[in-house]
Structures are given as structure tokens and as C-alpha cells.
Amino acid sequence: MMTNKLSPLSINSELYTIVNQLWIEAFPENERRNTILQKKMLAEDARFCAYILQHTDSSQEVLGAVYLWQFPEFVFIEHLVTAPQLRSRGFGARMITLLKERYHTPFVLEAERPTTALSKRRIEFYQRNGFQICSKEYLQPPYHKEGESIPMYLLTTDVNYTSDKYEEIVALLYKEVYQISTE
């Protein structure tokens, strides 16, 4: 069995274009920022980073990728994507396992409400991998000025921490990830 590694992804890497295309194909425009801003934020904000999942045999094949924010008290997984031809083969779960080994803080992420078969499967995937749905209402702010907020769930690996700090977490996400003020 091949083992996998999770490596930091630089915007200067030859693999960045491949990962960027996976991200564009996996997430609708209203659930991601534009590619120019994405690249600018990766270059300029040390808290925002990307990792790629690859086989440890130094293969150049991209199995998946994750964009995340490293905050002092938690890690926010903004986007996690597996190569389409490799979905349902355990690579998403492997990325989460490797992230948990790297970061020893609670994880928080957003997921669409379970209104379709795919969104139900996505939530079940995260639950199988140690995430729980926060019971409070959450709206993902728009990534674009003309966009609308999207009702979503916040999921976390530490429901007690997230429940206690919910308003602070949401305010931080709105301010830093979505660059909007909650005041």
C-alpha cells in the first residue's frame, strides 16, 4: 500500500496551476473567492496556506489539496478537494488525518446544508472523520460584492470549544477569511 504525504503548496510551484483548477472545478463561484485574490492572499497572509496530498514516492500526481487558515486557537479548513477520479477512495480522510497530526487545535469548517444527495454525503464524510455540526445558525458571507450569504453548517472537531467561542469564531471568520466587518 502506498503512503501519502501532505506538503505545503507554494504559488510558485508547478503544481499550483493543477491544484487551482481542481479548486475551481470543485467549488461553485459563489463558494470561493476569485483566483487572483486567492493567489494574492496565499502570497501575502502567512495564516492562509495550501497543502497538497501526494504519494510519498515523490510522484507529481496531485491526489487532493486543502486551503486553510491557521488561527491561534483553531484551524479553519476553507476548502478541501480530492481529484475527481480519486474521490471515494479515502484520500479526503487521509488529508484530515494528516492535518490532525500536524495541528493540535480544534478544526472548524463550513458545509452546505443537506439538501441534496451530494451535500448529505459531504456532511456524513466529515462526521465519519470526527466533525460535529454546531447547533447554532450560520451564514457563509458572500465571497463577491454582488453575492448573497449562503445558509451553511459550521462543523468542528471540538463542539464544546466551538459552542463556548461561537460568536468570536464567526466574527474572526467574517473579518479575516471573508474580509467583512460584523460591526
Side-chain angles (χ1 to χ4, degrees):
M1 179 174 156
M2 285 193 171
T3 56
N4 310 115
K5 64 181 178 181
L6 198 60
S7 305
L9 176 67
S10 163
I11 61 169
N12 300 317
S13 166
E14 60 193 42
L15 298 176
Y16 180 78
T17 302
I18 295 168
V19 170
N20 192 57
Q21 191 60 40
L22 279 176
W23 172 69
I24 289 168
E25 292 171 3
F27 293 93
E29 190 173 352
N30 68 334
E31 292 183 22
R32 59 179 167 79
R33 68 183 56 83
N34 75 55
T35 57
I36 295 168
L37 182 57
Q38 180 84 348
K39 192 172 188 176
K40 181 180 188 300
M41 291 174 79
L42 279 168
E44 296 176 2
D45 193 330
R47 300 167 305 168
F48 184 50
C49 55
Y51 291 94
I52 54 172
L53 182 70
Q54 296 176 286
H55 293 302
T56 53
D57 67 0
S58 73
S59 159
Q60 290 295 301
E61 181 182 18
V62 174
L63 307 173
V66 61
Y67 290 97
L68 60 80
W69 290 83
Q70 303 169 86
F71 295 119
E73 293 185 9
F74 68 96
V75 170
F76 175 66
I77 297 175
E78 186 171 7
H79 294 106
L80 185 138
V81 61
T82 302
Q85 72 277 15
L86 300 173
R87 291 194 181 129
S88 300
R89 293 184 42 196
F91 293 116
R94 184 70 179 136
M95 278 190 279
I96 290 172
T97 298
L98 291 170
L99 286 170
K100 287 178 179 178
E101 290 172 3
R102 182 178 296 255
Y103 298 100
H104 302 284
T105 62
F107 285 85
V108 175
L109 60 83
E110 303 161 333
E112 296 169 276
R113 300 228 175 135
T115 57
T116 66
L118 180 61
S119 58
K120 287 176 187 174
R121 278 194 7 236
R122 193 171 289 129
I123 288 174
E124 290 167 356
F125 162 78
Y126 287 120
Q127 289 174 323
R128 283 193 311 275
N129 285 281
F131 287 82
Q132 295 176 288
I133 296 172
C134 297
S135 60
K136 297 181 181 178
E137 290 294 313
Y138 178 76
L139 287 175
Q140 179 193 60
Y143 275 103
H144 310 282
K145 288 180 184 172
E146 67 282 355
E148 295 183 20
S149 295
I150 303 169
M152 291 208 175
Y153 286 140
L154 267 190
L155 286 87
T156 181
T157 55
D158 185 339
V159 77
N160 292 328
Y161 165 78
T162 307
S163 293
D164 292 345
K165 303 274 190 172
Y166 185 82
E167 288 77 16
E168 295 163 46
I169 291 168
V170 170
L172 184 64
L173 295 179
Y174 278 32
K175 180 180 179 197
E176 303 299 333
V177 176
Y178 298 99
Q179 300 180 339
I180 62 170
S181 174
T182 55
E183 297 169 7

